[in-house]
Amino acid sequence: MLQRKLNIANLKTPIYKLESLSQSLGKDIYIKRDDYTGTEISGNKVRKLEYTIQYVLDHGYDTIITTGAITSNHARATAAVCAQYNIECHLILRGTMAEYEGNLFLATMSGAHVHLIEPIASREEAMDTLYIELEEGGKTPFKIPAGGSDWIGAHGYIDAYEEILEQEIAMEIQFDSINFAVGSGGTYAGLWFGKTSNNLATQIIGYAVNKNAETFKNKVIEIIKDLDNDTTSFETILINDEYIGLGYSQATDEELQFYIDIAQQEGIILDPTYTGKAFRGLVEEIKQGHYDDQQSILFIHTGGLQGYTQEIRTRIQQLLLENA
Ligand SMILES: *Cc1c(COP(=O)(O)O)cnc(C)c1O
């Protein structure tokens, strides 16, 4: 286990009860605001980056290469942390500069070098090619995988599990489950590893936003084995892939209407790529009776507000007009 990390996230993040939704669902629904970890570095990625960037500094790297979607929260957070620590930052993103808003805008403003690739191109190959180029140019680069999801980054969510345990004691609650979105698996791996190391019954339930449950389960197992090769029992890894909908960063009108309803009912803005899908999944599963054996349910808001693109904002405006 790694011991050293930066302290750049605003921790602990608060947990509070969603009163109106708890009442309508007949459960005690709590939310943990990991979207409050910061502004430039907001969301779940900064918990991972605290460990990753410490590792980079400790090992003498001067340049980072990472990758993601054009709307990547991880890329934006990495760009901001690199600016803060004077590390050269290269982002390999799938998409075009026409989508110059949200995270892409923030990442370039923070000084990141953006390398665009075709939607079908391999991100790993592009990272390898750039790695060689930068090395030949005299740099000492370090590659962070998409989403910062590897054994180093997962430490951030092992810590988050410990933080939740402390908050449970202080609040005199025991959560029957901890629920959140899964996009590259690092958050899941950390929380599951934290829970399993503490030998507790709390279920760790991930809602996939892009790939199927099997793919994520394998990814999570891979990360956990890198953390501790002695872990051999993985039955309690629970990933639900029934709420991906139209796919990564795509939204149906029904989903958008759900986000509007939650915003107006609870004052919480879910993001359209991750937390929206996961939270909608949780509410649907509760309604279908799949949480009947649970009373206290925690949802982690992992951030992502910058994912509201022009296209989605316009559609929400339309829905609001239709509702009026
Ligand atoms: C990346 C991300 C997730 C998913 O976390 P992973 O560790 O990649 O599975 C969830 N929510 C938001 C807002 C994210 O940016």
Side-chain angles (χ1 to χ4, degrees), residues 135-184:
E135 245 192 348
E136 284 171 359
K139 301 287 181 189
T140 311
F142 182 83
K143 288 184 287 181
I144 305 178
S149 286
D150 60 9
W151 70 280
I152 303 173
H155 280 74
Y157 271 89
I158 301 175
D159 288 1
Y161 189 80
E162 299 293 332
E163 184 178 305
I164 292 168
L165 276 184
E166 285 170 27
Q167 288 173 305
E168 282 184 302
I169 293 165
M171 296 171 83
E172 297 180 14
I173 309 167
Q174 256 187 306
F175 297 117
D176 295 310
S177 65
I178 302 175
N179 303 265
F180 52 91
V182 177
S184 62

Side-chain angles (χ1 to χ4, degrees), residues 52-82:
T52 310
I53 303 299
Q54 180 74 64
Y55 186 92
V56 162
L57 295 171
D58 286 349
H59 291 80
Y61 299 101
D62 58 18
T63 302
I64 280 180
I65 307 171
T66 194
T67 187
I70 198 83
T71 53
S72 171
N73 295 306
H74 163 68
R76 176 254 311 149
T78 303
V81 183
C82 283

Side-chain angles (χ1 to χ4, degrees), residues 44-45 48 73 147 149 181-188 271 274-275 302-304:
N44 64 337
K45 297 309 179 307
K48 304 180 193 180
N73 295 306
S149 286
V182 177
S184 62
T187 302
Y188 193 100
D271 85 285
Y274 297 96
T275 58
T302 41

